[in-house]
Every structure is written in structure tokens, then in C-alpha cells.
Amino acid sequence: MERTRSGTTARTDLRAARAALPAELGDAVDRFQRHLAAERGLSEHTVRAYLGDVTSLLAGVTAHAGPGAGLDAVTLPALRSWLAGQHAQGSSRATLARRAASVRTFTAWAHRTGLLAADPGPRLAAPGKHRSLPAVLRADQADSAMAASAAGAEQGDPVALRDHALLELLYASGVRVAELCGLDLDDLDRERRLLRVLGKGRRERAVPFGVPADAALERWLSAGRPALCTDRSGPAVFLGARGGRLDQRMARRVVHDAVRSVPGAADLGPHGLRHSAATHLLEGGADLRSVQELLGHATLATTQLYTHVTVDRLKAIHDRTHPRS
């Protein structure tokens, strides 16, 4: 409930900030919003983040150039002044990097559509963010979490069956929690053990999963889901206790509760389980390009965050595979 209130407050604040902009700048924000949502297919949360950053920039431009400011006031000095102000207010390196990326996306779009005569964005420098890795489960800890979940499902309680299938599928496939909660029944290819997933940017991919996840999914679909299914369920694979499509917050809670039961394990959510899956794939010998495809990363650079394998293992691979090792 708290997250819902926070989201509502953020939307209200964004609307108020947008309404305070001069007409030309406000219209540009509206067009940019349609571009992000309709043409790029970004999620509501991502669109709101972009708009918040761009609206903040344009409010700063208005404050300096006056209430009649137009897009021609969005210059490199204006961008630098705004970013410096964000830094002075205590924004972190990661936040500054994200906001700079947002406004660069905006100025590139505005230039491409003829709203800006020149694009100042590429010349806007921002401090590089520290790309920290989330905690990760060891393989034995992941096994313990799955075993505990399986034991909880032994009595056949529908919610316990759902939770076990959810955990097994998240860990087996490495999909995002939004992708998992968005699965429909016809997205399952049980014969080939594949998921059809719609990821970021509405990119579709096929993701394999293993035998344990298939067994847990079979029990959920045959014995658990029918017990929770209502007129509200539609084709959703995973259902909430009242029959609607499972909420992402509930899925996160399921993961946190399961991992918390493992002695010595860090408190992880679905992203940590995704990270664990990627790490264990790489440690098992999977190549980086394959893991990139499985995870649905647009660039290999993102997948490289998961390559925190030990130097000893890299040396062992080199010794085993390089002709002049």
C-alpha cells in the first residue's frame, strides 16, 4: 500500500511540474511521453523516470530564461548548469548519470524531430556511476531455498504450489519478475520447456527452463491454479490468492521469504535470484553471448556485470584452452 501511495504522489508531482512549464516546453514533454510509451514501448515506471528528469531540466531552463522560454533555451550551458545544480543538491553519481542519460535521450529525440536545431546532449558529461553487483546465492544456497519451497508445497496448498513454481521458474530461467508475472498460458511451451517472454522495449525472446521447474509448474497448473482460478484470472499463469494475475510485489515477497529461510544467505529479491541464475550459468561454462540472450539484455556490457567469476577460474580456463598457455 505504501508503494502505491508513493507512486500516486510521484505522478501527481510530475503532473504539477509539467503544468508549470511554458506551453512550448509542456507540449514537448507530452510529445516525448508519447514517443517513449508508444514508439519505444517503455514501461510506465521507466517513462515516468524519463519525464521526471526532463521536466526538472525544463523547469531549470524556465527559471533562468523566464516564463516565455522555448526549446531554443535548451543549450549546452543550460544542461551543464542544471546538472551542476543536481550535484549541489546532493544527487549521487548514479543519479547524475541517469539524469544526464535521460536528457541526452530527450535532446536527441527533439533534434531528430526538428524541435531543436542542434543537439547539445552528446557534449554533456556526467560522472560515471559505480555499477555495483547485487548479492548472489551460492549454488548450494539456491538448492536449499528450492528444497524448502518444495517441502512447503508437499501438502498441496494452492498458494504454496504457486510459490514453489514461481521460485523454480525464476531461478531456472533468470527472467525478470515483471516478465514472470506477465506470462500467459500460451507463453508456455511445455513440450520443449520454453517460455515466450516479452521483455524491455517489447522485445520477445524464448527462454529455456529445466526439469525441476517443469515439475513444479506441472503441479501448480494441475492442482494449484484451478483452486485459485476465478472469472478475473484470464490466461495468467500465476494468480494471486483472489484469482487475479499475481502482483509483482507479492512475487518479490515470496522470493524474500524463501531466501530468508536459508542460513547465511543474503536477503535477496527476484533480481538477486536472476543474478544468481546468470552467475551459476557462467560458472557452469555458459558463454557470455548465450547468457545475454537468455537474460534479454540489449547490450553485452550489461551482461558483463554478472561475470564476477574468480581469477583462479579464469586462469584455469586459460590453462585448459589456450594453445600457448
Side-chain angles (χ1 to χ4, degrees):
M1 182 64 72
E2 183 59 37
R3 292 185 184 183
T4 302
R5 286 198 297 269
S6 298
T8 302
T9 301
R11 285 191 291 271
T12 301
D13 292 344
L14 181 57
R15 283 196 293 268
R18 153 66 185 86
L21 293 175
E24 181 182 337
L25 300 184
D27 290 344
V29 171
D30 291 342
R31 289 181 60 183
F32 185 54
Q33 179 177 9
R34 290 193 292 271
H35 162 71
L36 295 174
E39 297 177 29
R40 294 188 55 181
L42 301 181
S43 69
E44 180 184 353
H45 175 79
T46 302
V47 170
R48 191 162 64 244
Y50 271 107
L51 295 182
D53 295 335
V54 170
T55 302
S56 171
L57 165 70
L58 297 180
V61 168
T62 302
H64 284 87
L71 278 175
D72 57 353
V74 180
T75 61
L76 182 59
L79 296 182
R80 287 172 172 166
S81 175
W82 168 75
L83 199 62
Q86 300 293 308
H87 180 265
Q89 293 173 17
S91 294
S92 68
R93 290 168 63 96
T95 299
L96 292 173
R98 189 207 74 206
R99 289 179 175 167
S102 294
V103 300
R104 281 194 290 264
T105 300
F106 172 73
T107 58
W109 166 82
H111 176 56
R112 191 168 60 251
T113 55
L115 297 178
L116 275 177
D119 180 8
R123 297 170 61 194
L124 177 65
K129 63 181 180 180
H130 297 296
R131 305 193 78 175
S132 58
L133 291 168
V136 61
L137 294 176
R138 299 192 310 266
D140 63 298
Q141 291 174 329
D143 286 342
S144 295
M146 301 302 135
S149 176
E154 282 301 316
Q155 300 302 314
D157 175 73
V159 171
L161 291 172
R162 178 203 67 194
D163 293 351
H164 180 48
L166 180 152
L167 284 164
E168 286 280 8
L169 208 54
L170 277 175
Y171 177 56
S173 64
V175 297
R176 301 175 179 93
V177 65
E179 294 169 345
L180 183 97
C181 291
L183 286 174
D184 288 338
L185 293 171
D186 61 2
D187 293 326
L188 304 177
D189 184 342
R190 298 285 307 286
E191 184 177 348
R192 295 189 295 168
R193 295 204 305 273
L194 289 173
L195 304 177
R196 186 179 64 199
V197 173
L198 192 63
K200 290 186 175 180
R202 304 191 68 79
R203 291 187 296 270
E204 187 175 292
R205 69 188 191 279
V207 183
F209 57 94
V211 173
D214 187 53
L217 191 59
E218 169 62 30
R219 292 193 65 195
W220 157 245
L221 293 176
S222 62
R225 189 180 183 279
L228 296 182
C229 190
T230 68
D231 292 340
R232 302 174 52 217
S233 302
V237 172
F238 290 102
L239 306 178
R242 297 183 179 179
R245 185 180 294 274
L246 183 66
D247 184 85
Q248 292 181 38
R249 289 172 295 176
M250 178 55 67
R252 291 189 182 95
R253 186 181 304 171
V254 169
V255 177
H256 279 291
D257 289 348
V259 174
R260 199 176 290 127
S261 68
V262 178
D267 182 19
L268 299 184
H271 184 67
L273 207 55
R274 171 175 163 87
H275 178 68
S276 300
T279 300
H280 298 162
L281 282 167
L282 290 166
E283 289 179 346
D287 65 274
L288 201 58
R289 286 287 183 187
S290 297
V291 176
Q292 176 193 2
E293 182 67 24
L294 287 169
L295 297 179
H297 288 157
T299 65
L300 194 61
T302 306
T303 316
Q304 286 171 334
L305 288 174
Y306 294 88
T307 57
H308 59 112
V309 291
T310 65
V311 173
D312 287 343
R313 178 176 176 272
L314 291 176
K315 289 176 66 178
I317 291 173
H318 184 274
D319 291 343
R320 188 172 69 246
T321 61
H322 197 284
R324 296 181 68 85
S325 63

